[in-house]
Each structure stands twice: as structure tokens, then as C-alpha cells.
Amino acid sequence: MGRLTAETRARNEEAIRAAMDRLLAGAIPPGGGCDLKTLAVEAGVTRTGFYPKGDRPGPYQHLAEEFERRVKDAQAAGIVTDPRAAQIERLKAQVAELKERAAERDADLAELTAFKTLAISRLAAQHEEIERLREQAAAVGNVSRLPAARGGTAPYGSCS
């Protein structure tokens, strides 16, 4: 690429500033974003002009710095210049919330599993104790069973 004439450079700077204003106003082309790549495409200049060339600045580096500063200022003011960036931020927040909910559910599940294990072990211990006592009572032989309750009638004075 040859050297830019003052006229070409001025025309390109004007095109870059117009594209910068469009992008910051929210006129983002399909597949583009509010970034230097889209700015270069919209202005019709090469993206390399926004970056330094060794020890000397690029011809449009000052405009790239101005664009990035204006984007940051707009974001700080709460202005959404790029709907994709807003969608990404919304989705990041949603993912964080879902991760938190999943962690809470995992903790609840672990707690319930521990409770279930404890309850089953207690029931098994109680069952073993009942079986042991039944065997002990049967071995002694001096324990008699109570008669079965009569069905259908309640005894006098009962509350039922």
C-alpha cells in the first residue's frame, strides 16, 4: 500500500467519523458489532490503519482511540450501542443465576440424601431391636398375649 495523500486521508477520516457516529447511534449492520473491525468495514478503510506500525502510530489510530473512548463512555452512561453485547451480558447473568440455583439444589439433594440414609439406618436398628425383643419374649415363655380387640363397638366412656 502506498502513502496516503492528504486528500485521501481527510476523506477516509470523514468516512470513519460518519461510520463511528452510525455505530454509536446503534445502526449496527447484520453480523457486525460496535468494534474496530465493523468500523473499518463501514468506513471502507483497512483495519490496519487503526494500529501502530512499529514505532510510529497508524494513520487512523487517533480515531480508533476516540471510538473506543466513546464506546466506553456510552457504556458507562448505560447506553447500549451493541445489542449483541447487551444480550451477552444478559445471558451471562442468567447463567450465573442458574449456576447458583443448581448449586443450591445440589446442596439440598445432598442434605436430603444424608437424612434418608440416617432414617433408613434408624429404622433398620429399630426393626432389629423389635425382632430381638420378640425372640427374647418367646424364649422366656412367661409373657402372654392380650386378647384381640373386638371389632365394631367401643368400650363405655371412650372418646371415639
Side-chain angles (χ1 to χ4, degrees):
M1 182 172 168
R3 296 188 62 87
L4 294 173
T5 64
E7 181 182 318
T8 304
R9 186 175 178 148
R11 195 171 346 112
N12 287 348
E13 285 186 9
E14 185 178 314
I16 292 169
R17 287 188 191 282
M20 191 183 311
D21 291 337
R22 286 193 308 273
L23 292 177
L24 289 170
I28 309 291
C34 196
D35 55 12
L36 288 177
K37 180 180 178 182
T38 306
L39 178 63
V41 170
E42 287 292 299
V45 298
T46 62
R47 191 170 31 159
T48 58
F50 293 123
Y51 302 104
K53 313 282 189 257
D55 59 343
R56 61 188 173 93
Y60 312 119
Q61 186 174 349
H62 65 285
L63 293 173
E65 291 167 357
E66 177 185 340
F67 179 67
E68 289 172 351
R69 180 186 48 77
R70 288 178 63 185
V71 167
K72 286 180 184 174
D73 290 347
Q75 289 171 345
I79 299 170
V80 178
T81 55
D82 189 351
R84 289 183 319 156
Q87 181 182 22
I88 289 170
E89 291 304 315
R90 182 181 54 78
L91 291 174
K92 282 181 181 179
Q94 187 177 15
V95 165
E97 178 192 348
L98 290 174
K99 282 183 179 180
E100 183 179 325
R101 286 176 50 196
E104 288 173 3
R105 287 198 178 151
D106 288 347
D108 289 346
L109 183 61
E111 184 180 328
L112 291 172
T113 302
F115 176 76
K116 177 181 135 185
T117 303
L118 180 64
I120 289 173
S121 67
R122 284 183 180 170
L123 287 172
Q126 289 172 354
H127 179 71
E128 287 177 10
E129 180 67 12
I130 290 169
E131 291 295 318
R132 186 186 66 76
L133 291 172
R134 283 183 181 162
E135 287 176 9
Q136 183 183 6
V140 172
N142 64 357
V143 177
S144 60
R145 293 194 176 262
L146 295 175
R150 287 185 251 172
T153 60
Y156 292 109
S158 74
C159 295
S160 47

